[in-house]
Amino acid sequence: MAAAVDKTLPDVITAGLDVLFVGINPGLWSAATGWHFARPGNRFWPALHRGGFTPRLLHPSEQDTLPALGLGITNVVARASARADELTAAELVAGARELTEKVARYRPRWVAVVGVTAYRVGFARPKATFGRQPEPLAGAQLWVLPNPSGLNAHYTPQTLAAAFATLREATTT
């Protein structure tokens, strides 16, 4: 896994997506495999399915099927690390600027950042909470979801799926 440190992953993105999911940064497992949210124990893919975004549980290796479902994935910070807390505030702020440019270019309807702390730091919103944000991001509606990492013990698979389902409901109205 040490060889995966600082590697980057290509975005799963195309113009006009319904929802662009934004991770904090790739973990080492993801960088080694080339798949977003790939580490066993990461709950992104189950939450995506249980939240109503996919017709079945997808394996991370199936990430390229997402755009056909109107979904995509990118990250606030491109470089891989063992843990998100290894990122600096400057990296998160620079990543937020790059994300804003990417959203302006690809124009998704919704942007869902999965990680409130990264959102708070990167976008200088220290009091941000989960859910719909009052300000759009480059014309897209903005939502903050809990981090699906298995390290986030505050959310069970059930409560994480419920948070994704709430976003799904908002995107269909």
Side-chain angles (χ1 to χ4, degrees):
M1 288 293 163
V5 173
D6 294 333
K7 283 182 73 176
T8 61
L9 286 178
D11 292 335
V12 177
I13 194 169
T14 189
L17 295 170
D18 292 322
V19 183
L20 178 62
F21 290 93
V22 182
I24 300 167
N25 75 311
L28 298 182
W29 194 283
S30 289
T33 62
W35 308 323
H36 293 271
F37 301 103
R39 184 174 187 79
N42 189 297
R43 299 162 304 167
F44 175 80
W45 296 100
L48 195 66
H49 171 62
R50 292 174 74 192
F53 285 100
T54 61
R56 64 178 176 80
L57 177 60
L58 299 177
H59 184 269
S61 64
E62 297 177 282
Q63 67 184 15
D64 291 336
T65 65
L66 290 177
L69 300 171
L71 308 173
I73 303 175
T74 189
N75 290 288
V76 176
V77 174
R79 78 169 179 94
S81 66
R83 294 191 338 254
D85 64 5
E86 295 174 17
L87 302 175
T88 67
E91 284 179 292
L92 291 168
V93 169
R97 279 194 303 271
E98 290 173 21
L99 176 63
T100 302
E101 292 168 6
K102 195 175 295 185
V103 170
R105 182 169 53 253
Y106 287 99
R107 300 196 144 316
R109 288 182 43 237
W110 289 82
V111 172
V113 178
V114 292
V116 70
T117 302
Y119 175 74
R120 287 174 179 162
V121 173
F123 288 92
R125 301 279 190 267
K127 295 181 188 213
T129 59
F130 296 110
R132 189 177 196 154
Q133 302 305 299
E135 67 283 335
L137 180 64
Q141 297 298 312
L142 183 60
W143 196 278
V144 175
L145 288 165
N147 184 338
S149 167
L151 298 174
N152 184 359
H154 297 294
Y155 281 83
T156 66
Q158 294 77 20
T159 57
L160 191 60
F164 275 66
T166 302
L167 168 61
R168 176 72 177 140
E169 184 177 311
T171 66
T172 60
T173 57

